[in-house]
Amino acid sequence: MYGNDFGPPDEGVDQVKDPDRDTAHADAAAAALGEGLLGEVAAAEAALAEAAGRTVGRAAADADEAALQAYFDAVIAADQKIEPRDWMPEKYRRTLIRQIAQHAHSEIIGMQPEGNWISRAPSLQRKAILLAKVQDEAGHGLYLYAAAETLGITREELVEMLVSGRQKYSSIFNYPTLTWADVGAVGWLVDGAAIVNQVPLCRCSYGPYARAMIRVCKEESFHQRQGYEVLHVLGHGTPGQRAMAQDAVDRWWYPSLAMFGPPDADSTHSAQSMAWKIKRFSNDELRQRFVDMCVDQARSLNLTLPDPDLRWNAQRRAYDYTQPDYDELMRVISGDGPCNRQRMAFRRQAHADGAWVREAAAAYAAKRASDREAVPA
Ligand SMILES: [Fe+2]
Ligand SMILES: [Fe+2]
């Protein structure tokens, strides 16, 4: 499990008292990075295949709403999957559209902060890796838009909701990437937080979303690994490189913690999403897993997490940590982060610049359709 990738540390050990874990441990930590996550994804993939042989009997075609609801509840209770052909409560459908669309928008907007460094990557190899990663994010957006479309909304409507600002994307992408080390910090922390959030979604009750998440998570584990590797080189490099890496981690740590959303006590939507098995763990549970996962990794990176109160709590068998600034999170969500305007302006411009491609594709599709009609039977 990703939260326990490295096992609990020795009791009484904390980040401050134990800076020199042996190198064998560091290597093991690096090797384990991603494997625990991928193990979870593989188990979810096997569960998905099993759920495909659905055992809950189908509702009759002329069933009334109560019978349809009972059937829906039975599928969820049996941990099987709701598919596009199935009846589903309107609220479930709308909740999924909102969640999957916001997720898709985040993947697309998330290309910008790192795309910023493609032309300035420090080597050809780094450039190739970063290009592949940013292209993966475009692919994630496309899988997710396709999953949302199975719920009866069009791609045009989804894109319109992003460019008009009616739907949001993850607030994390409203922070700037100031140095090359930010590419490492984004990969390690932002993609890392994304995986912790998304691995449970591989078991979500809506089949198309769960299937999209399997592939997304496999690719995200590569993203986290590449960010970790960038920081590992810098963290063990010259004093200047290490300082640059530390500065990036200092700036990205708390925004990454905020990616899990407001504390459970203030979280809207959560209870219903849990009941529908769209969401499997609370915001605070996932945030704790992420913190526990990062502490040992930070040691291996030769970097520290910017939290003087980070301490192993032997009773809870988890780290105590300082909460992110949720007022800042709300400010960024409401449009007042460092890069909100820039991100949206860039996205709108890209959408406008792509108009001719959409028009050409539509004209070509219309021509193909009329050619087919013209063929004599
Ligand atoms: Fe992604
Ligand atoms: Fe990613």
Side-chain angles (χ1 to χ4, degrees):
M1 190 127 114
Y2 37 83
N4 298 320
D5 270 354
F6 313 108
D10 302 335
E11 293 193 4
V13 170
D14 64 37
Q15 190 194 10
V16 180
K17 281 196 286 187
D18 188 23
D20 298 318
R21 297 283 277 247
D22 63 67
T23 50
H25 180 272
D27 291 346
L33 181 64
E35 283 167 18
L37 301 164
L38 286 174
E40 275 284 291
V41 174
E45 194 170 17
L48 249 178
E50 208 173 298
R54 187 190 284 181
T55 52
V56 177
R58 240 166 248 303
D62 59 350
D64 61 18
E65 181 144 342
L68 290 168
Q69 178 74 51
Y71 167 70
F72 173 86
D73 293 343
V75 171
I76 302 264
D79 255 338
Q80 296 185 352
K81 302 298 163 194
I82 301 296
E83 296 295 343
R85 61 176 180 260
D86 292 325
W87 180 91
M88 61 190 86
E90 186 55 21
K91 268 191 168 171
Y92 176 84
R93 194 181 74 85
R94 275 191 278 121
T95 297
L96 277 168
I97 288 177
R98 191 191 65 241
Q99 180 170 339
I100 300 174
Q102 291 187 359
H103 193 163
H105 303 330
S106 303
E107 301 284 356
I108 298 297
I109 298 284
M111 296 168 74
Q112 292 186 40
E114 289 175 289
N116 182 33
W117 283 93
I118 290 173
S119 61
R120 289 176 284 163
S123 71
L124 180 61
Q125 192 194 20
R126 291 288 184 206
K127 183 189 283 237
I129 294 169
L130 185 58
L131 263 174
K133 195 232 175 196
V134 173
Q135 282 182 332
D136 278 356
E137 306 299 6
H140 297 173
L142 297 184
Y143 312 151
L144 289 161
Y145 282 131
E149 284 180 283
T150 66
L151 291 156
I153 189 162
T154 65
R155 177 79 62 91
E156 290 72 21
E157 289 171 298
L158 292 164
V159 171
E160 205 282 322
M161 284 197 279
L162 171 63
V163 296
S164 68
R166 280 196 294 136
Q167 276 186 336
K168 305 257 182 251
Y169 54 87
S170 176
S171 61
I172 192 75
F173 300 118
N174 291 314
Y175 290 87
T177 42
L178 301 179
T179 70
W180 169 252
D182 286 44
V183 169
V186 168
W188 179 47
L189 293 173
V190 176
D191 290 281
I195 305 174
V196 171
N197 251 326
Q198 292 171 12
V199 166
L201 290 172
C202 295
R203 293 178 180 273
C204 132
S205 61
Y206 187 57
Y209 193 24
R211 288 189 286 273
M213 293 318 300
I214 298 275
R215 184 155 173 187
V216 167
C217 284
K218 286 181 181 175
E219 293 173 356
E220 290 300 348
S221 92
F222 151 66
H223 298 173
Q224 189 204 23
R225 188 68 193 250
Q226 70 86 34
Y228 180 90
E229 204 267 332
V230 166
L231 286 182
H232 197 274
V233 169
L234 297 174
H236 295 84
T238 65
Q241 286 174 322
R242 186 174 174 278
M244 182 169 76
Q246 185 62 57
D247 171 64
V249 168
D250 289 350
R251 283 182 288 105
W252 286 94
W253 174 246
Y254 286 104
S256 301
L257 290 188
M259 283 174 71
F260 297 91
D264 293 350
D266 304 334
S267 177
T268 46
H269 314 305
S270 269
Q272 182 60 76
S273 285
M274 291 269 208
W276 279 329
K277 295 188 184 169
I278 295 173
K279 201 173 159 85
R280 300 261 177 175
F281 299 97
S282 75
N283 295 353
D284 289 337
E285 284 174 310
L286 293 171
R287 193 168 7 248
Q288 181 72 60
R289 282 183 184 185
F290 177 67
V291 171
D292 293 347
M293 182 178 96
C294 288
V295 175
D296 264 14
Q297 294 175 5
R299 266 190 210 109
S300 304
L301 290 171
N302 198 27
L303 299 171
T304 54
L305 297 172
D307 182 353
D309 296 324
L310 192 65
R311 290 282 183 285
W312 177 247
N313 182 324
Q315 261 173 350
R316 292 198 307 116
R317 301 200 62 72
Y319 282 91
D320 291 336
Y321 63 97
T322 305
Q323 294 289 320
D325 178 350
Y326 294 110
D327 292 338
E328 175 181 316
L329 172 67
M330 290 308 151
R331 273 199 308 279
V332 179
I333 288 176
S334 66
D336 213 11
C339 299
N340 296 55
R341 288 165 196 83
Q342 178 187 335
R343 300 288 185 242
M344 284 305 293
F346 190 90
R347 181 68 239 144
R348 289 191 185 111
Q349 187 61 48
H351 188 64
D353 291 347
W356 71 271
V357 179
R358 293 189 295 279
E359 282 163 24
Y364 181 68
K367 182 174 179 300
R368 289 277 304 247
S370 75
D371 286 352
R372 267 197 303 273
E373 268 170 35
V375 175

